Amino acid sequence: MFLVALSFAYFAKALSGSYMKSTITQLERRFDIPSYLIGVIDGSFEIGNLLVIAFVSYFGAKLHRPKIIAMGCVLMSIGTFIIALPHFIIGRYEYETSVRWVVNSTLNPSPCPVGSLADLTQDAGVITLLSAIPFWFLPRSLPMSGPRGPEKCTPEQTSFIKDSPLMKHKYPADEHTSFIEMAKDFIPTLRTLLGHPVYLIYLCVTIIQLNSLIGMVTYKPKYIEQHFRQSASKANFLMGMINIPAVALGMFSGGLLMKRLKLNIMGAARFAFGTSLIGYILSLFFFAMSCENAKVAGVTLSYNSMDTISYEKHPVFTACNSDCFCSASDWDPVCGENGITYVSPCLAGCTSSAGSGKNTVFSNCSCVGAAGNFTASTGQCPQKDDCDRMFPYFLALSVITSFIISLGGTPGYMLLIRCIKPQLKSLALGFHALATRTLAGIPAPIYFGAIIDTTCLKWGQKRCGGIGACRIYNTTAYRIAYLGLTLSLRTVSFVICIPGFILLSRQLKKEERNAIHGALSNGGAELEALRKEEFVISNSDQLQQTSDNSTDRETRL
């Protein structure tokens, strides 16, 4: 029953947590914020860990662990409900557009207005990010709350499952253990744990690898959207339907292989290292899977030269739209008949429009064709023939690498459990969770987002002032920054593994020598006891024989 309840809690956590990851690009557009700020919001999940997880791990092992786990799950549900509140209390999303529609009128205003730029800066009433920040940060920083709530009690879950089902576990709380005594024992125990060299190496390796993993997973849907020009719904659907099952299957298969092969500690370490190295080598092929950037006039193309893509700074105002009073900060892309995307219908020189919404057609666009009678439709031009050919290969390689890397997940976790003494196990797991989530879960989304922001070609502008979300990226720079940072972190972790293997080998040899010495010592003690027993028996026999001889002499007399 405990496993059933815990599995359901993890299912709920994974469902809500994965959904939050999938909304990154929508949140950027909805609140007009850059990627690094999205990273701050995502990393705020781990703030509660700074306060509670180490103490929960240590004292929880000495108290009633199922009750503590249950409290964490209740707090998780409360935090998740609070996170959902902004959807119900903020206003409707108004899509950015440079065209102002006239209410109760069948006539659309000209996309190319003639007048003052001041007339174009009226606020459309979109709720800014400030209205949502309290609802994002408060529940996500509560101890044991939010979509990752059960993870705060992961050390207690793991140790409880390992100890309880087949062993007659007694709760020290039932034995009236003093809380003050436990608190006094915490610091020396932690000092002993941190003095374990293999544990420290393992901790450093997992922190660096989790930085790579968390940063990569957080922005992978965004990478698919921007690089392969897929919709947000399709990118997240493919991530959920292809990658996540591959990871789950890999972790299960890794545990099964470890059981079948009967791997010891060193075997588990080598297996985890080997699978990670194979996945690393395969990931290098992602650099070759590239797509050309979108052809956007005034951003990646010059209005005067529509042939080759260039990432130099281009002016958005030119002779063909000089008669229009356009805003350079608007992002309302339209696709011209010539296959070129324009930042807005105004900057395309369009003077009239028909239809509404995504079915709007702009006509008399002077920048689209020389004659000035060309049309443009809403949205960016597809231009993704090369991406459509490359995208299936990217997905296939992504599934393979995810499966291979996750094969080493279970053996790697078992290495952590087996290399620590039983009395330090719960604290070791708790401190590991605290360190990884503090040093990887919080900073990784932030600096990954900040580095991704450096590849932006055109920033949006908030209607209340200031820089908003990025509208279009330099896909080549994006690919190099995103993949390069991911693989660089994993390279560093492989280098640290070398002294880790040396220390682990020495520890195992030392334990083997101690075991042999202990066996010999026990064997010598048993031999001495056997000799003493034989001596006592021999003396007893001699005394019995002397007594018998005395009795015979007395009888003869």
Side-chain angles (χ1 to χ4, degrees):
M1 289 304 299
F2 178 82
L3 284 175
V4 170
L6 189 62
S7 299
F8 179 78
Y10 265 95
F11 171 78
K13 182 267 298 184
L15 189 66
S16 57
S18 300
Y19 177 76
M20 294 305 303
K21 290 283 187 185
S22 70
T23 60
I24 283 178
T25 53
Q26 291 94 318
L27 289 175
E28 286 185 8
R29 289 190 290 264
R30 173 67 178 86
F31 296 109
D32 225 351
I33 54 179
S35 295
Y36 86 89
L37 188 52
I38 284 291
V40 173
I41 294 173
D42 186 77
S44 64
F45 269 124
E46 313 297 349
I47 294 177
N49 289 331
L50 296 173
L51 305 175
V52 298
I53 193 167
F55 295 99
V56 167
S57 303
Y58 179 73
F59 296 117
K62 299 177 179 295
L63 300 172
H64 197 288
R65 286 180 284 183
K67 290 182 179 179
I68 293 179
I69 296 168
M71 289 173 59
C73 292
V74 171
L75 285 175
M76 177 198 73
S77 64
I78 295 173
T80 305
F81 277 113
I82 297 176
I83 288 175
L85 282 180
H87 173 75
F88 300 99
I89 63 176
I90 62 177
R92 292 175 59 87
Y93 174 58
E94 296 185 18
Y95 183 76
E96 180 182 359
T97 177
S98 59
V99 178
R100 308 302 176 197
W101 308 104
V102 179
V103 181
N104 297 328
S105 175
T106 57
L107 298 176
N108 295 337
S110 172
C112 173
V114 177
S116 172
L117 283 174
D119 298 333
L120 305 177
T121 59
Q122 295 178 358
D123 189 1
V126 176
I127 304 297
T128 64
L129 176 66
L130 294 177
S131 63
I133 282 182
F135 297 96
W136 278 102
F137 279 88
L138 177 61
R140 294 161 79 97
S141 61
L142 283 174
M144 298 187 191
S145 68
R148 297 181 193 174
E151 295 183 7
K152 275 65 174 180
C153 295
T154 295
E156 302 317 315
Q157 297 158 2
T158 305
S159 59
F160 178 72
I161 293 172
K162 194 173 187 298
D163 294 340
S164 297
L166 302 178
M167 301 178 67
K168 294 181 179 179
H169 183 80
K170 294 182 179 180
Y171 299 107
D174 299 334
E175 300 172 3
H176 307 287
T177 303
S178 171
F179 182 84
I180 298 177
E181 291 176 359
M182 292 189 293
K184 290 181 179 179
D185 190 46
F186 176 75
I187 300 300
T189 307
L190 182 61
R191 188 183 299 114
T192 302
L193 175 65
L194 297 180
H196 197 295
V198 176
Y199 178 77
L200 284 180
I201 293 291
Y202 181 89
L203 193 63
C204 292
V205 170
T206 51
I207 286 174
I208 295 173
Q209 288 208 345
L210 278 175
N211 269 273
S212 173
L213 177 64
I214 292 173
M216 182 268 293
V217 171
T218 301
Y219 294 101
K220 191 169 185 178
K222 180 183 177 74
Y223 179 78
I224 294 175
E225 289 181 46
Q226 295 293 332
H227 198 76
F228 296 98
R229 292 193 279 281
Q230 303 293 327
S231 64
S233 58
K234 185 176 180 179
N236 289 294
F237 176 79
L238 292 173
M239 282 281 292
M241 292 298 295
I242 298 177
N243 275 77
I244 294 179
V247 171
L249 180 62
M251 295 187 69
F252 176 79
S253 302
L256 190 62
L257 286 173
M258 187 175 180
K259 182 179 179 181
R260 290 287 180 86
L261 298 176
K262 298 179 180 179
L263 299 177
N264 56 13
I265 298 179
M266 181 61 74
R270 290 172 178 169
F271 185 86
F273 179 83
T275 54
S276 183
L277 183 61
I278 294 173
Y280 172 84
I281 295 173
L282 291 176
S283 297
L284 294 174
F285 291 97
F286 283 125
F287 283 102
M289 299 179 179
S290 60
C291 293
E292 286 190 4
N293 211 335
K295 296 180 178 180
V296 183
V299 180
T300 61
L301 295 174
S302 169
Y303 275 86
N304 300 324
S305 177
M306 296 291 187
D307 298 328
T308 57
I309 292 178
S310 171
Y311 297 115
E312 298 177 358
K313 189 173 181 62
H314 302 290
V316 293
F317 297 104
T318 185
C320 61
N321 56 30
S322 58
D323 295 334
C324 303
F325 287 91
C326 308
S327 171
S329 62
D330 282 339
W331 179 256
D332 187 17
V334 293
C335 178
E337 277 190 69
N338 55 357
I340 304 298
T341 299
Y342 295 85
V343 173
S344 67
C346 181
L347 291 173
C350 303
T351 58
S352 60
S353 63
S356 62
K358 63 181 181 180
N359 298 319
T360 304
V361 176
F362 302 93
S363 55
N364 299 324
C365 302
S366 57
C367 295
V368 176
N373 58 354
F374 288 85
T375 62
S377 56
T378 56
Q380 292 183 237
C381 296
Q383 292 178 342
K384 56 179 185 177
D385 293 339
D386 56 334
C387 293
D388 287 340
R389 289 193 300 268
M390 190 62 65
F391 190 50
Y393 297 104
F394 172 83
L395 290 178
L397 185 59
S398 179
V399 170
I400 294 172
T401 53
S402 298
F403 174 77
I404 293 176
I405 293 175
S406 60
L407 279 174
T410 302
Y413 200 68
M414 290 299 104
L415 170 64
L416 171 61
I417 295 176
R418 292 182 180 180
C419 73
I420 297 296
K421 295 179 180 179
Q423 60 269 27
L424 297 175
K425 178 181 59 179
S426 183
L427 181 61
L429 292 172
F431 191 81
H432 175 266
L434 172 66
T436 53
R437 281 155 177 77
T438 302
L439 301 178
I442 294 176
I446 298 175
Y447 66 77
F448 262 81
I451 291 176
I452 289 173
D453 284 339
T454 62
T455 66
C456 182
L457 292 176
K458 180 173 176 56
W459 288 99
Q461 187 174 2
K462 293 181 181 179
R463 303 190 183 191
C464 56
I467 296 177
C470 183
R471 304 309 187 189
I472 186 171
Y473 292 88
N474 180 338
T475 55
T476 302
Y478 191 147
R479 182 177 71 257
I480 294 174
Y482 174 74
L483 298 176
L485 182 57
T486 301
L487 296 179
S488 296
L489 289 170
R490 291 171 62 184
T491 302
V492 174
S493 70
F494 290 144
V495 174
I496 300 178
C497 281
I498 297 174
F501 276 108
I502 296 174
L503 292 173
L504 180 60
S505 178
R506 290 178 180 176
Q507 176 182 327
L508 294 178
K509 289 180 180 179
K510 182 179 179 180
E511 291 177 355
E512 185 178 358
R513 287 195 301 268
N514 292 338
I516 294 174
H517 179 72
L520 292 175
S521 299
N522 293 334
E526 292 176 359
L527 182 60
E528 184 66 23
L530 182 60
R531 287 177 178 175
K532 289 181 179 180
E533 183 179 356
E534 290 177 350
F535 177 75
V536 171
I537 293 173
S538 177
N539 290 341
S540 177
D541 290 342
Q542 290 178 1
L543 290 173
Q544 182 65 35
Q545 185 176 1
T546 303
S547 176
D548 291 342
N549 291 337
S550 299
T551 302
D552 290 341
R553 284 197 300 271
E554 291 176 358
T555 302
R556 286 196 299 272
L557 290 173

